[in-house]
Every structure is written in structure tokens, then in C-alpha cells.
Amino acid sequence: MSDAFTPRPEHKFSFGLWTVCNRGRDPFGDVVRPVLSPCDAVRMLAEIGAWGVNLHDNDLVPIDATPAERDRIVREFKTECERSGITVPMATVNLFYDAAFRDGALTANDPAVRAYALQKTMRAMDLGAELGARIFVLWGGREGTETDACRRPDDAIKRLREAVNYLCEYSRDRSYDYRFALEAKPNEPRGDIYMATTGAYLGFIATLDHPEMVGVNPEVAHEQMAGLNFLHIVAQAWEAGKLFHIDLNDQMPGRYDQDFRLGAANLKSTFWLVKFLEDVGYDGPRHFDAHAYRTEDYDGVRDFARGCMRTYLILKERACRWNRDAEIQAMVHANGNGSTPTEYSAAHRDALLTREFDRIALASKGLGYERLDQLTMEVLLGVR
Amino acid sequence: MSDAFTPRPEHKFSFGLWTVCNRGRDPFGDVVRPVLSPCDAVRMLAEIGAWGVNLHDNDLVPIDATPAERDRIVREFKTECERSGITVPMATVNLFYDAAFRDGALTANDPAVRAYALQKTMRAMDLGAELGARIFVLWGGREGTETDACRRPDDAIKRLREAVNYLCEYSRDRSYDYRFALEAKPNEPRGDIYMATTGAYLGFIATLDHPEMVGVNPEVAHEQMAGLNFLHIVAQAWEAGKLFHIDLNDQMPGRYDQDFRLGAANLKSTFWLVKFLEDVGYDGPRHFDAHAYRTEDYDGVRDFARGCMRTYLILKERACRWNRDAEIQAMVHANGNGSTPTEYSAAHRDALLTREFDRIALASKGLGYERLDQLTMEVLLGVR
Amino acid sequence: MSDAFTPRPEHKFSFGLWTVCNRGRDPFGDVVRPVLSPCDAVRMLAEIGAWGVNLHDNDLVPIDATPAERDRIVREFKTECERSGITVPMATVNLFYDAAFRDGALTANDPAVRAYALQKTMRAMDLGAELGARIFVLWGGREGTETDACRRPDDAIKRLREAVNYLCEYSRDRSYDYRFALEAKPNEPRGDIYMATTGAYLGFIATLDHPEMVGVNPEVAHEQMAGLNFLHIVAQAWEAGKLFHIDLNDQMPGRYDQDFRLGAANLKSTFWLVKFLEDVGYDGPRHFDAHAYRTEDYDGVRDFARGCMRTYLILKERACRWNRDAEIQAMVHANGNGSTPTEYSAAHRDALLTREFDRIALASKGLGYERLDQLTMEVLLGVR
Amino acid sequence: MSDAFTPRPEHKFSFGLWTVCNRGRDPFGDVVRPVLSPCDAVRMLAEIGAWGVNLHDNDLVPIDATPAERDRIVREFKTECERSGITVPMATVNLFYDAAFRDGALTANDPAVRAYALQKTMRAMDLGAELGARIFVLWGGREGTETDACRRPDDAIKRLREAVNYLCEYSRDRSYDYRFALEAKPNEPRGDIYMATTGAYLGFIATLDHPEMVGVNPEVAHEQMAGLNFLHIVAQAWEAGKLFHIDLNDQMPGRYDQDFRLGAANLKSTFWLVKFLEDVGYDGPRHFDAHAYRTEDYDGVRDFARGCMRTYLILKERACRWNRDAEIQAMVHANGNGSTPTEYSAAHRDALLTREFDRIALASKGLGYERLDQLTMEVLLGVR
């Protein structure tokens, strides 16, 4: 059954292998779903209308695979992707699951662990490149602490910078043409993770050897865990030309990492996000980094993945409706949106310093935001 | 009664005028303390051993003062500061109290409000310069939203950039030699505030015309409201050469802005902070942006201010003890701290890609962080 | 313009005087709206279709009014309520604004403050009774601490119990026939408030002399500040026969008290709440304890208040739609809802202990909750 | 090396088997420590000076053990406990790990799951009784939702009540003499868990058939996850005679369940807790429900467990010091602590209603809480 909210390739919906293959293990419980092979996952994604699949190295290739096994696995996976018409836009490296990384990977105190993490990342870049990925995400899930006694945090930042600089050189050397997308998270699985917010990464990027190669991969859940407004940080990244990738999902603030289906926790903040991405013409992948509830079997996983895409498309349609709503647009324009660039000059300075302002008058007009927000809610609820 | 924890000028302890003059008004209750004049506040600060006082324009000069009144007030205040031996290291502008700024100041939709905010800031810069301040803090308390319907967030960022660029030009033009310190906060008094974290400002600074003139003013409470590790962001700012100022206080995560006395909410995180500032040789003001409980009269305000400085000095002494503790230092060095810069080269690349790592061995050694953290706690508790 | 979402008296929508009269003062800014008199507020509420108005004693009668002034004010207010067809279902007492209560009212350390708080509450009960109120809310906004050094928390609980017992006796003595509704909040304006959650009050009520006279007044914002699921606590209160009143508004978790328009922060959690109240047949007031953004004038206040009621009615309609949706209902019933009371007996015990369960089979069926939740979202979004 | 902070049996320190046997698995990573057998754990606990060990059924007996295996395991464990001088004060049941409980156990929609959960609990009660436990903890880790579409929350409460009533009857029937201790948690592993706070359970207990048999088991981390003041809820439980057990650990607010070593997140709140337990004479087990960082081997696990007990004893000593500090005690008594029971009578009523209060005077005296809190910090830091 197809309708206006049926996903099509041009929507660029992608899922991580780890999302549809998630088996439901959590800190207090075991797996609830059997293994789903990468090739079966690709077939599932094709069946439900996705465009792309992303992966960590070990989502596809076991960490202890021999080179021959690795090559066979990759070959079969590429074949399945081609057959299914599924692209691999992004790759990343798992620097968090193995016990070797229990105290960090690129920032670990042990130089051998740092070296191993670097090597593992280079090989993951090889893998991604072989699969056609042009975006390489780095999420440092173990780069953090439970006690700040273990290292100086500025040392950790220096180590991270060296590593990212090195990886940029490797990408240039191999002509991989990667754009790196750094992904922040405030905590979990570490007590605190360095580079806790996308903002921290935007600041970090400016200190790199090749800042033009590096952007961010903001994730809804990771900013919302800290109660931050996700739209605002996405807008900052976009405005700075740094929105290289995005992880879509949902999350209640102040909790463990929930990775809910898009919109499942907060429809309104999701609406603003979708509207922004569409309004500015973001043309990268709409990547879902979420997973099905632990109550589900693989039919439920399909429902979950379909729901992510469907909700995106419904909200996109609502964004169009908002943009075309005459009353809303009249209110928005009455509010004097837009920026008024001002060149500094002696003349302008003097004019500004001597200008008389009527504070009372500036404060007297109601701005109508309660009505504007209520109309937004009614667009969202479909009663307008 | 003087002891090892008695503040002295070389400790560079400063307080905002607004902190000791805080009258205890909150959203659910009225003022509980009478007015304390700026000159009386300076005398109080001198009496208790502070070194500096900071101020918003309107902490000293009422928003509706005539130029003559303004000049008289400033003259008397300077005289009192000189007499009391109190310096004014930092000034800032109040762009949040007046109703004209109810929907933002430098990012407001109304161009007249933006112009007024710019003018007000320039005059506050004049005032600060007259008082000898060389740091100018910008906290955009009203630059935010309750509903994202009101403006595009990237427009807000553009407006903010124009304003900061303009103010940098003004500082250069007037030879004020200011270093601007941008202060982030995630929310309150707005539902969401743009530039929610210090990290966001570090990213923003890189996009300015004069990034070298602009740094950050991280505040303990503002990052901890969002549950973020304050030490980590201070370390990032420091490592990037951007720690131009700091706001010391304390705060429980996930609550309204509490502005507690230093250490009152969390001794351990405060310890790491003080230790870091002392270890790296931060030589800027130790500025307290906090206020006394509403249960206090001005004797209690003195207790509060003394407590801030005293706790800083106790924790500084504990940091020395930690640094001299043989067992702790042995553990820290056994953990292989330090960074190992690696130049990218074909030879290094090949060596790294072919190196064999023993994952099991890398994961086998306990790192002793439970003991290291417990020893830290015992240093802190004074039983070691 | 009237439609299906136009409020009518039978919807029992009430507002606090303090909500529509809120002048927009916050910790960082002054008032933005002129005074709205209680009688004007009643007229506004009547005009927009509300049914009732609630009040703290000092919302109507200034704390320093003479008895004659008090009587005149009350008389005029009653007249206006009658003329406007507005009822006064609930009254409460302000034990938080005055500086006398800066360290608590009914739990303050000073016995004179406790006595004054008790007297003030009795007079507020007289006032409420005179206005026809049959519900008396107690919110102990100052009953808390910034430091637990100030008193033993079990002493505070004892003092609170004595006070509530006393007030129950007073209600019986005066034949006021009040039902007391206790309102919890975790923090703000105090660092921590005793009886932080509605659950804590449910436990406390069981220890009172007249538990049957006392229930709770859960407020959306107050539980959501702590990130708690509001529906669950409302359900517990309802199931225990203790839902004597409710405060409707909205709030993002982990922040200052926002008191947003119903649904403005989270449409989905608001939907479950409205659905529950309608499904169980709650017939008390639908009381809004919220206020307009600070960007608004009194037209905006009207928009705000209309929006609260309108959103409630839209969500009520969606709840009906959900209840009538055949696919949703089929899924709900397939899940085996309902309770199966089991009497304990030796026979039942033995049958249960010897019953064989197939754990694998119990774990094998997908429960379809992803689809059920997605269908709920689509009902909410009006595409179903 | 023994000192004043060496644990002794009379301190009643107990650990869950699951705490020292925790292998470090988390949502993003695998186990890092080999299996530690229950008997080895008992030996470790004895070696480091613990008094007791607690367990879930499946911590000791695998879920699929045959009756014969079960009996052998229990026999060997009892023998080891006796040999090591370790007692088993508390037992509990694991209703969260197995996939059968993925949507709840005692509140699951499937009646067969509910029956299985009841049976499993009865058998765990048998096991606990056999080991000598007199406290039975119930933590409903899976009793919750990701979407409230799945069941009515009041149905969940009814099911829970039936189950607890049934289990009380079973305890009476078998003469097990258990005191049940209900343990709340707001979320994780479920999106929301029913009975989110200890307060909610205090309310629930009042609705049971045998409320006298049932109390609470508050856990530091579980209340602090929601940012709640743990001391306050412990005090409420204690004052109501319901503090049947306690789970000691530490946790930063607004995060995943961290289960840190006692005091590791917040020394000051831990100090108030220890002080309260000692001041009121709580004589139940001091149970630690925490685990070592994932960076540790079993030497680190020992350090962790020793640290829990040692910090408790240091803080207990500090509480004594606080109680004996003349200046602190003078301030506390000046504040008029204590309760003043008031019998309601017509005479008292009239006296109270006619008493004149001087609001200004009541508000004029500073309460000295800044100093009192600072002195507390200095006691804690050991400089006083």
C-alpha cells in the first residue's frame, strides 16, 4: 500500500547495519532476537524502501576475521548491495566494543592501545572506501572517564587531535576523499565522554591541520540526553558548513541512550528538525541511528524502520503546510525576520551611539508567539 | 583570624557586583535583603580579602541615569575602588533585564532592539574601559526562544556574528584592547538559549573576523545544568588558548540556575577544576558568579563570599597534596600519561598497518582507577 | 468562530488567577505586562470560554489588606464571578512569596513562622469557603533546603503532618467540607523541596489522622522537571482514589519551572494524559497552571489560555479516534490487557508451583508495540 | 593494615553477589572480567571485611538448573558462607534478564508471563529462606513501557498489587517471616518504569492487604538519576517505619544507571545520608549495590569494595565530628529545631486566629545557613 508518505530513493533514507540488526541486549537483559546477517539486513532495507546502509567495520567483518574471510564477506556484501540497489554512503569504526578499548581508544593512556585504534580506523577507512562510502564518522564512545584522576583532559584532546590529523593525512594519501564527521555524546558508556557536545567538536575542528575535511555528525539522542535543543546545534553546524552527516532518532532528556524511532519521544522538536533540514536544502543522507523496542521480533523491526521514514515524510509534508499557511507566514514576516549586515565605520558608529531609543516603545508590542506556536501545533496535529 | 586559607590579592579573587548585592528575589518570592550600594559592596569585598570586582553596566549605573548622574556615579565608584584597593578586571553588559530585550537583544527580530542592544554594549565597553577592565564578557541571556517558530536559528547566529564582529571593531577603534569572553548557558530565562554550551561558542569563535580577540567565559553552573563535565570543557578552552575568564560557582545538574557557593553542590568536581586551573597556571581572575542563599542577611553574604574563597584555597592545598602523594603519582605515571606526537609518513603508515596487536593482552591489565579515585577522595577528605 | 474545539462549561476548564494575571517577571528580568485586576481576569476567562477560576489568598487580597478592604475586595470579586458565570472550584494559600517564609512555612525552624503559616492557611480556607471552593490545594514551595545542615528532614515531615492534621480539623470544625490536594515539586524555588514527588505525598497521606480528606494535586511540570512519566503517577493517584485536583501545563525535563501552555513541550505525553483523564471519567476541574510567554501582551495571554483549552479538546477528540480505531483496538486486545485477580490458597499455590512454563515460547512472540506506537503517532498527527 | 576505618562485622556491610561478580558488560561493550564464582565471591567478601552477601536467585542458581543441581549449588554456597562467616540477610528475584520478561513480569500483558514471574519469585523466596534471609527485595526492572499504548498504567498497578498481596500470603503460609522491600527506579532498562520513585511505593504500600509486611529499599542511584534528594526520601521512609533495606552507591543526576562506589559522585550528599542512618540508629544492613569500573580486574574489584566500606566509615566519623562541633551545634540549636505538636481545640484555634504576627520581624534575621554549610564542608574536608 503506497501513499504520499512512502519512502523513495531520492529521500536518501539510510540505516546503520547495527540498527536493524540490533538484538535487544541491554544492561539488564540478554538478546531477544536471533542474528540477522548483513545481507539479510540489506534485503530488508531494500524491501521497505530505504536508500542506503551504513556500518562499523565489525558490523560486517568480525574483529578476528582472517584477511581471506574479510575479503569474502565484503565481496558478498557488495554483491548484495548492488543486487538490492542499496548504497553505502557512510562508514565508521567500532572503537568501543572490544575490551582493549575499555579506557579509551584514540585517547587511551596506553600508547599501544592508541596505535591499535589508529590502525583499526585506517582499515575501517579502507573497508568503507571499498564499499563506496565518502563520509567517515568517528564516534569516540570510550574516550572518557569515570574518574578524572586517570589523565589530564587536555592530554586527551591533544591525543585526539593527533589521531584525527593522522587520519586526514591517510585519507589524502589514499585518495579516499573522505569527509570526516565527528559525533559527540555527553556520557554512556563512560561516566563522562570527552567532546560532550557537537559544539565542542565544532571548536575542536578549528584547531585541526585540515579543518576543511572535518565536520560533525550530530545525533538527536546525544544532544537531547543533555537536555539541549537539537535544532539549534544542527543550525549552527549547517551555518558553519559543517553538517557532514546526521543521526536521526529520538530520546527523552536526562536518561540513558534510548535511540527511539524518529519522533517517538517528541513530535514537535522532530518537526522543527525535519523542517530545518528541508528548508535549507540539506542533501546528505537522512540516516536513522535507532533501534526497535526490545519487545519486537523482526516484523517489529520492519515496523520500526518503516515508522522512522514515514514520520519523516509526514513531518516534511507538515513543514510545507506551515510554509504555505498564510496566517503563519504573515506573523513570521511581521516579526521582521532576517539579518541586517552592518559594516563598522566611524560614521555608523557615531550614528549608532547618538541614536535615541524609546525603551518603553520597544517593550510594548506583544509578539504573538503564543498564537504562532499554537498554530504550529495545529498544523502538526492536522487540524489546520 | 588568619590561616593558610586566608585570601590574598595574588589569588586574584573577584566577585560580580551583582553577586554580593543580590537581594534574593526569585520566581516565587520577593527580595529579602535591602539595597547594598556599589560602594558599600566594594568596601565589603575589600574587608573580606577579595582582589577585584566585576560589573554589568546597570549594576553601577541605572539604565535611565542622565549622563551627569552616570559620570558622578562612576567617579565615586572609581574613588572607592582605589581607596579600597579593589581592581575592576572585567565588565559586561546587561542585555536581559529590561523588557525591551524580552525576545532577545543582539538576535532579536526587531532591528531597533538589535541596534539598541549594540549601542548599550558599546557604552558598557566605554564604562568598563574607564574603570580599567580589559576583559569584556558577553552573556546573551535573552538570545533564545520558547518556540522555534519565531525565527530561524541560523538567522540568530548570523545576527550574533555581525554584532560580535562590530564590537571587536569598536574595541580596536577605541584602542580598548578588550579580550571578549563569551558565556554560554543552555536555558533560563529563555526556554532554550542559543549557543547553549561553551563548546558551541568555541565553534562560533572560529567563524568571526577577529577570532584572536574572542574567547570564552565558562560558568560552572551553566554547563552543570545540562549535566556536562565542567572540567572537560574548561580543559578544551584552555588547550585552545581561549580561557579568557571563568565563572566559579556550583550547581546540581538538571535544575534551575542555582549559583551556589563554590563547592557547595559537588566538592569532587570542584576539586578537579581548582586543580586544573592551578596545574596549568591559569593566571586570570578567579571570579565568583554566585550568591548567598535567600535565608541570609548581609552577614550571611559575607560568610558566603568568604566561603567561596576559602574553599578554593583548601582545594588548592589538596591539589598540591595530590601532586605530591607518592602512591598517587606512581599510579598516574604507571598509566602512561602523556601524548606521543606522530608525524604521518609512508613509512610510519606502513609500519602501523602491519604491526601486530595482541587484543587480549591489551585488555588484560587492571588499570587501578578505583584505587586512584578512592585515594583522591581520601586526599579530599583529609585522611591522607 | 466556533468549532468542535470550542470550550464549553461542561468541560470544566479552570485557570488560576495567577496564570492569566502573570506579569512575566523572571529571575533575570522585570515585569513586561501591566497589572490585570482579578475582576478583569474573571471577565477575560468568561470571554474565552473558561468555567472556573482558582486563587491563592493573595492573588485576590493583598497580604496587608485591612479586614474592611478584604471584605470589599471579596464582595466585588464574588459579584464579578456571578455576573460572568465563573465558578471558584479551588482555593489555596500563598506560603512562598513573603520573606517571612524564606526558610519554609509549615516546616520552618522558627515556631512563630510555623504558627503564622498555619493562621494564614486557615484564613485562606475561610476565603475559599466564602467563594464556594470545595478543594483546597497546599503547595509548600518553601518547605525545603539549600543545605541539609539546617534541619533533620524527618523533623520537617513531622511538622508538615501536624499542620495538615490541624487544618483537617479546622475544615471539619468549620464544616467547610474541603478535600485537600497536596502538590509536590522537586526543587525551585528551594534547592530541594521536601515531598519532591506526588508519590511522596501519597505515602505521606497514609500517615495522616484523616487520610480520607486528603489527596493530591499532581502538576505536569513538577513531575516532568524530574524527568518522570506524568501519566504513571496520575494513574497511581487515580487508582488510589486520590486524584482530587490536577494542574495542567507543560515542561521540558531537567529545567527550571517553565509552566508552558498545555502540550507545548510534548504533544504525545499530553495526549496520553488527556486520554487517561477522559477514559477513566475524571470529573474534576481541568485546571491550567501555566502562563503566557514573556513576549506576549494581554492579547497573547488570551491566545495562550485559548490554546490550553483548544489543545485539550483536540487531544480529547484524538483519544476518541484512538479508542475507535479498529486496528489499534485489535492490537490492544491481542495483547491480553486486563487484570486476573488471584486468591491465594493452598490449591492455587501448589498448582502454580508445579506449573511448567516454556520460557522460550514466552519470549518468542513479537508484541507489535512499534506499530502500535506508530499508529498512535499517526492518529495524533491526523493522518489516520 | 588496619586503622579506624577498617570494616568490622558489626558495621553490617553487605554486597550483592552481582556487584563483585559484575563482569563489566555494558550497552556498548562486552565483558572485561572472567567469571567469579559465588563461592569465590564469598571468600573475597570475607577477606575484605564484609559481613553479608545478598543475591538474586540466578546470581547463584542458573535459570535452567535442574532441582538436583540447584540443591548442590545451594548446599555448597551455604557451606562456604558458614566457613567464611558471611551471612545472607537479603534475597531477591531476577525478573528482568530473561527474554520472557521483555515487557514486564508481574505486570506483563501475557497472563502466563505473570504466572511464571510469580512462580519464580516464590522459588526465590524458598531459596532466600533456605539461606537465612529475612528481607526480600522486589525490583521490577521490566515493569514499565516504551509506549503507553501497550497497557493502561492503572492496570499495571492493579496487577502489581495482586502479586505483592499473593507473595505476602505465601510468606505467611510458609512462615518465612519475610519483610518485603520494594525498590523503585524511574527508567532503564525500560523507557519508563512504573513506581518510579520510593515515594510512589510508599503510597502503593498503603493500598496492600498487609502493609505492615512491606517497606521500601531505596537506592541512591535510582533517586539521583531523577535528580531527587536521596536523604529526603530515606528520611520519609524511616519516619514512616518503612526503611526495610537500603542500596548504597552513587550516581550523577540525569544519566544512565552508574552504580558508582559510595561517595564517588557526591561526597556531600553521601555524608548527609550516612549521618542520617547513624543519627537515627538504622540497624539494618549497609548494603552496597554498586560495581567496579570497567577498567578494573579483580584486584580493582577488591579496591572498589574496600572503598565503599572505607568511605562509609570515614563519613561516619565525620558525622560524629559534626555532632560534637560546638559552633555547629550552637547554630543548629539557635535555629529552633524540633517539632511542637499542637492539639486542635476551639481554644487553640481562636488563639491562633487572633494572634498578631510581625511579618517584617519574622523576615529580618539572617539564618546563618551559608556559614553552617561552609562549616559542614570544612568538617568534611578535614580542616576542622
Side-chain angles (χ1 to χ4, degrees), chain C residues 109 137 158 177:
Chain C
N109 283 342
V137 164
K158 286 185 211 309
D177 199 26

Side-chain angles (χ1 to χ4, degrees), chain B residues 189-233:
Chain B
R190 301 307 302 270
D192 291 286
I193 298 178
Y194 299 123
M195 301 289 133
T197 62
T198 298
Y201 267 132
L202 290 174
F204 173 73
I205 289 166
T207 72
L208 295 174
D209 289 348
H210 294 287
E212 75 288 355
M213 295 177 66
V214 186
V216 291
N217 179 41
E219 172 168 331
V220 178
H222 293 183
E223 304 286 325
Q224 290 188 180
M225 283 171 67
L228 301 173
N229 183 310
F230 188 64
L231 172 69
H232 291 187
I233 195 63

Side-chain angles (χ1 to χ4, degrees), chain C residues 86 110 185 279:
Chain C
I86 293 289
D110 184 340
K185 192 179 180 185
D279 282 352

Side-chain angles (χ1 to χ4, degrees), chain C residues 222-244:
Chain C
H222 293 184
E223 304 285 326
Q224 291 188 179
M225 284 171 67
L228 301 173
N229 183 311
F230 187 66
L231 172 68
H232 292 186
I233 195 62
V234 167
Q236 185 184 358
W238 172 262
E239 203 263 351
K242 290 300 184 193
L243 189 66
F244 285 10

Side-chain angles (χ1 to χ4, degrees), chain A residues 98 102 162 339 359 365, chain B residues 98 102 162 339 359 365:
Chain A
D98 194 79
R102 68 206 182 288
E162 286 160 19
S339 167
R359 282 190 301 122
K365 199 181 60 144
Chain B
D98 194 79
R102 68 207 183 287
E162 286 161 19
S339 168
R359 282 191 300 121
K365 199 182 60 144

Side-chain angles (χ1 to χ4, degrees), chain D residues 77-89:
Chain D
F77 185 74
K78 280 187 78 167
T79 304
E80 184 55 55
C81 287
E82 282 156 22
R83 184 184 309 146
S84 297
I86 292 288
T87 189
V88 181

